[in-house]
Amino acid sequence: AQSVTQLDSQVPVFEEAPVELRCNYSSSVSVYLFWYVQYPNQGLQLLLKYLSGSTLVKGINGFEAEFNKSQTSFHLRKPSVHISDTAEYFCAVSDPGTSYGKLTFGQGTILTVHP
Amino acid sequence: AAGVIQSPRHLIKEKRETATLKCYPIPRHDTVYWYQQGPGQDPQFLISFYEKMQSDKGSIPDRFSAQQFSDYHSELNMSSLELGDSALYFCASSPRTGGNEQFFGPGTRLTVL
């Protein structure tokens, strides 16, 4: 079974500061990794994904994440945040060994960007 | 670009009533997933369909059933509703099975009174 742990439930930062949202996963097999963002009362939007290849993945809105297999981590980073980045962020995994790709989500991290 | 369509967007029901949620995937997407997100919680996988057949099943109550139709749209049927069923229900679609990006709809917010 797979599980995802997001180490911070809330992260407050000031505008233009860097931010890191932490994600660790547990799996006995290789995984696909994703970060989704959810704005209030909206659906989930994919920020970036890791399927294979380069461990540094770049996504939309200036976000990037690094896959670290030895530490089973997939932390999300942005060098300079904006007010509009305020949202909830979910890390998720799926098992490439199964055919149907269901996602297992972490508990979410609420990012609040202050002016 | 076309997105996943869910209807209705909001639904209010009484306890013990039934509800039907509909999902229209992105054209040429053959896999549909349903997730339930309770208040302040992460989305939980309920069920998925590939080519109109159930492909995987998660923590879906026996009171719930779902199917995918010939036009690939999917419906989630919920009976004997309970207060705890109040949640945001997401549908997602993907172009093929196995690890690819899932495109999420805006969700249906179900409130059970």
Side-chain angles (χ1 to χ4, degrees):
Chain A
Q2 301 168 321
S3 66
V4 179
T5 301
Q6 292 182 238
L7 299 165
D8 307 289
S9 59
Q10 298 192 50
V11 174
V13 294
F14 287 105
E15 195 173 18
E16 297 183 7
V19 71
E20 178 180 80
L21 306 184
R22 297 179 293 168
C23 171
N24 286 90
Y25 68 91
S26 173
S27 176
S28 58
V29 297
S30 59
V31 294
Y32 292 152
L33 293 156
F34 307 82
W35 274 99
Y36 282 86
V37 59
Q38 184 177 30
Y39 299 101
N41 299 313
Q42 294 189 27
L44 295 157
Q45 180 183 8
L46 182 72
L47 280 177
L48 47 80
K49 60 183 177 182
Y50 172 80
L51 303 183
S52 65
S54 173
T55 58
L56 183 61
V57 179
K58 294 190 182 298
I60 63 171
N61 300 341
F63 285 93
E64 65 180 31
E66 186 156 19
F67 170 56
N68 188 318
K69 187 175 182 179
S70 63
Q71 297 186 6
T72 60
S73 68
F74 190 56
H75 300 334
L76 180 70
R77 301 186 183 99
K78 186 170 183 178
S80 177
V81 295
H82 302 286
I83 297 288
S84 59
D85 292 324
T86 295
E88 187 160 18
Y89 293 78
F90 289 96
C91 181
V93 301
S94 70
D95 179 0
T98 63
S99 300
Y100 309 108
K102 68 179 180 184
L103 294 171
T104 299
F105 288 88
Q107 302 90 332
T109 298
I110 297 174
L111 174 65
T112 304
V113 181
H114 299 284
Chain B
V4 176
I5 297 172
Q6 291 188 247
S7 69
R9 293 291 310 277
H10 301 273
L11 190 58
I12 299 175
K13 291 286 186 179
E14 300 278 345
K15 280 174 54 178
R16 292 180 288 278
E17 287 191 321
T18 62
T20 298
L21 279 53
K22 297 184 179 181
C23 168
Y24 298 86
I26 293 171
R28 293 180 294 283
H29 283 199
D30 51 17
T31 306
V32 168
Y33 307 81
W34 286 96
Y35 294 86
Q36 177 191 57
Q37 185 179 29
Q41 298 182 9
D42 56 289
Q44 295 288 321
F45 171 73
L46 292 178
I47 196 167
S48 63
F49 292 87
Y50 167 63
E51 283 290 347
K52 292 153 283 185
M53 298 288 289
Q54 180 180 308
S55 53
D56 200 357
K57 194 172 182 179
S59 49
I60 183 169
D62 292 340
R63 301 177 288 107
F64 294 7
S65 65
Q67 57 181 323
Q68 186 180 31
F69 294 86
S70 58
D71 64 351
Y72 294 100
H73 93 273
S74 178
E75 294 184 3
L76 177 65
N77 298 292
M78 311 160 70
S79 62
S80 302
L81 288 169
E82 302 174 356
L83 296 178
D85 296 329
S86 294
L88 195 54
Y89 290 84
F90 288 111
C91 172
S93 71
S94 66
R96 61 179 183 270
T97 58
N100 287 289
E101 175 183 354
Q102 293 181 24
F103 294 81
F104 281 78
T108 294
R109 183 170 296 281
L110 172 66
T111 302
V112 182
L113 302 176

